[in-house]
Amino acid sequence: FGIHALLVVTVTLSPVTATVWSGNDVTGEDAYPPLWDLAVEKLQDFPVKDGKIVINAWSYQERLGVYKSLLNASAKYFGAFGPQNSGNILWGLPLQHGWQFRTGRLADPSGVTSCGYENGEPLCQSVKSWWSCMNYYLAIIPFLGAVEAGIFGQLPYEIEILPPEEQKDDFCYSVKDCWSRMPKLMDDWKAFFQYLLSTEHNSVSSATFSSFKLDDALALMWKAHTTSIAYGLPKFQDSLKYLSGPEATFGDDWANGVDFIAATHFRTDLPTTNNFQAFLPPRMLVEQDVIPFISDFSPQQNKVLVSLRALHKANKSTGGLLLKLWRKAMSTEAGRKIGRKLIESLTSS
């Protein structure tokens, strides 16, 4: 995969023969985020205090419970796309979060506290962690958008998200609070969940909810996803200072790469996301790491880092024109199919 090849595809949309996907299917317990079994199953399982469902979003296990309750509540809409809810396109969110947890990206990068460390508070998520803060906008905001849309039905209690110990103004803590502070973001996520709900009412049989077009659902989900990242990036720019140079660069490259992936309507179900994630960095990057020569990373992991770096540099040097051309090329189903093949070829031998 090279920038030249990407530009050729972007401008001409000529047919591309992508290398066959090389990832192994992930099955069993490894298919799920760490501690998935310990997370609450449904919204009503969270503690109720003073007439409100209270959620600590700075606990990995509780944020995981937010995802799990969301996946369970939306399972009926994705029954046609895979057994046991594996076709649910919301899997991409908790799986990304699980990868962040597994690789130490949610711990306090400043080292001032023991938040997120095995010999301290292993399930704590640090507000100093760039990854944890960015993920807030891909966990709590989608969740509250789903609550507002009615995915969970009529709830007997309001929901209150507990604030972190610092940077409180960078987040919102209830449906009403989020609507007043970031209406566009809430609106995009609500639109995705409303689309799912609309298919329930339009379905001929109440037993199945597969009347929606998966591509349309992916379009709405990715629109909300990229809005979340665009909202969080300037807000948490200062948090990158706690990271090593290579890790901070990778974070920026990752955020840029999501825009390109989103344009292809990449399918974020359980098996596809797991296959793709196997090629992400298995640990935090340190100052000594030089891509593509990181010895304890696989050739594919090195390749993905190089490709994300090159893509970001090319997009920046063209003033964002590369992304605009890419989005134009991805505006048809045929174009998006080629785009997904290109992304898959990133991780091939």
Side-chain angles (χ1 to χ4, degrees):
F1 178 88
I3 291 303
H4 175 70
L6 174 60
L7 283 170
V8 169
V9 172
T10 303
V11 177
T12 66
L13 261 189
S14 51
V16 171
T17 308
T19 318
V20 177
W21 185 260
S22 68
N24 297 317
D25 281 339
V26 182
T27 53
E29 282 183 22
D30 289 345
Y32 299 95
L35 309 180
W36 186 249
D37 286 346
L38 299 180
V40 301
E41 298 280 337
K42 55 187 187 295
L43 198 45
Q44 290 81 351
D45 293 338
F46 280 104
V48 175
K49 190 178 178 185
D50 299 329
K52 290 179 179 177
I53 294 171
V54 180
I55 299 170
N56 177 11
W58 301 97
S59 151
Y60 169 73
Q61 197 169 323
E62 291 205 27
R63 206 181 283 195
L64 208 58
V66 164
Y67 282 130
K68 197 171 186 179
S69 58
L70 195 50
L71 271 150
N72 287 338
S74 59
K76 61 184 176 183
Y77 305 104
F78 294 95
F81 304 107
Q84 296 177 301
N85 204 21
S86 61
N88 194 324
I89 59 174
L90 288 169
W91 271 114
L93 298 175
L95 286 170
Q96 266 281 286
H97 196 47
W99 163 75
Q100 290 162 0
F101 176 77
R102 191 184 295 113
T103 57
R105 287 179 162 85
L106 304 178
D108 181 356
S110 72
V112 173
T113 71
S114 63
C115 180
Y117 293 96
E118 272 187 55
N119 57 355
E121 303 167 84
L123 298 182
C124 170
Q125 288 195 203
S126 175
V127 74
K128 286 191 173 79
S129 159
W130 180 83
W131 292 98
S132 182
C133 291
M134 289 294 290
N135 178 265
Y136 193 95
Y137 285 84
L138 290 167
I140 301 306
I141 311 302
F143 167 67
L144 293 175
V147 170
E148 178 71 357
I151 283 288
F152 296 99
Q154 280 290 105
L155 291 172
Y157 305 107
E158 279 183 49
I159 288 163
E160 182 184 2
I161 311 295
L162 296 178
E165 290 180 8
E166 46 192 305
Q167 293 176 232
K168 292 180 184 179
D169 291 343
D170 288 336
F171 309 97
C172 61
Y173 307 104
S174 68
V175 170
K176 191 177 177 183
D177 184 32
C178 294
W179 268 113
S180 66
R181 292 165 64 177
M182 45 197 79
K184 171 77 173 77
L185 199 45
M186 285 288 284
D187 204 45
D188 280 0
W189 280 109
K190 184 182 178 184
F192 166 68
F193 290 108
Q194 280 182 325
Y195 177 71
L196 297 186
L197 282 164
S198 71
T199 65
E200 184 174 346
H201 301 305
N202 298 336
S203 185
V204 178
S205 162
S206 60
T208 58
F209 303 104
S210 56
S211 57
F212 71 85
K213 211 174 165 199
L214 189 61
D215 191 64
D216 291 342
L218 284 161
L220 288 165
M221 188 210 67
W222 276 117
K223 184 186 177 206
H225 191 120
T226 51
T227 305
S228 281
I229 290 175
Y231 193 93
L233 273 177
K235 203 175 267 291
F236 304 116
Q237 200 62 31
D238 285 352
S239 300
L240 291 170
K241 71 185 177 195
Y242 295 116
L243 303 175
S244 70
E247 179 70 16
T249 298
F250 165 60
D252 268 339
D253 293 346
W254 166 86
N256 173 77
V258 170
D259 280 328
F260 285 85
I261 293 168
T264 72
H265 297 180
F266 194 77
R267 195 163 166 176
T268 45
D269 56 26
L270 185 71
T272 311
T273 306
N274 268 319
N275 280 339
F276 188 67
Q277 279 200 167
F279 304 105
L280 291 178
R283 59 163 173 80
M284 299 269 281
L285 297 173
V286 295
E287 294 296 351
Q288 295 80 8
D289 288 327
V290 179
I291 59 171
F293 308 110
I294 305 176
S295 59
D296 60 332
F297 284 17
S298 70
Q300 289 97 333
Q301 286 165 345
N302 272 291
K303 187 179 176 184
V304 165
L305 288 173
V306 168
S307 301
L308 286 173
R309 179 84 288 250
L311 193 61
H312 193 185
K313 281 169 93 171
N315 192 41
K316 215 171 180 179
S317 66
T318 60
L321 180 62
L322 186 61
L323 180 59
K324 283 179 185 171
L325 290 170
W326 177 257
R327 282 174 171 160
K328 191 174 182 184
M330 298 298 108
S331 61
T332 65
E333 285 201 31
R336 289 192 290 276
K337 191 174 181 182
I338 292 170
R340 289 192 293 271
K341 292 274 186 195
L342 265 176
I343 289 167
E344 289 171 7
S345 72
L346 268 178
T347 52
S348 57
S349 302

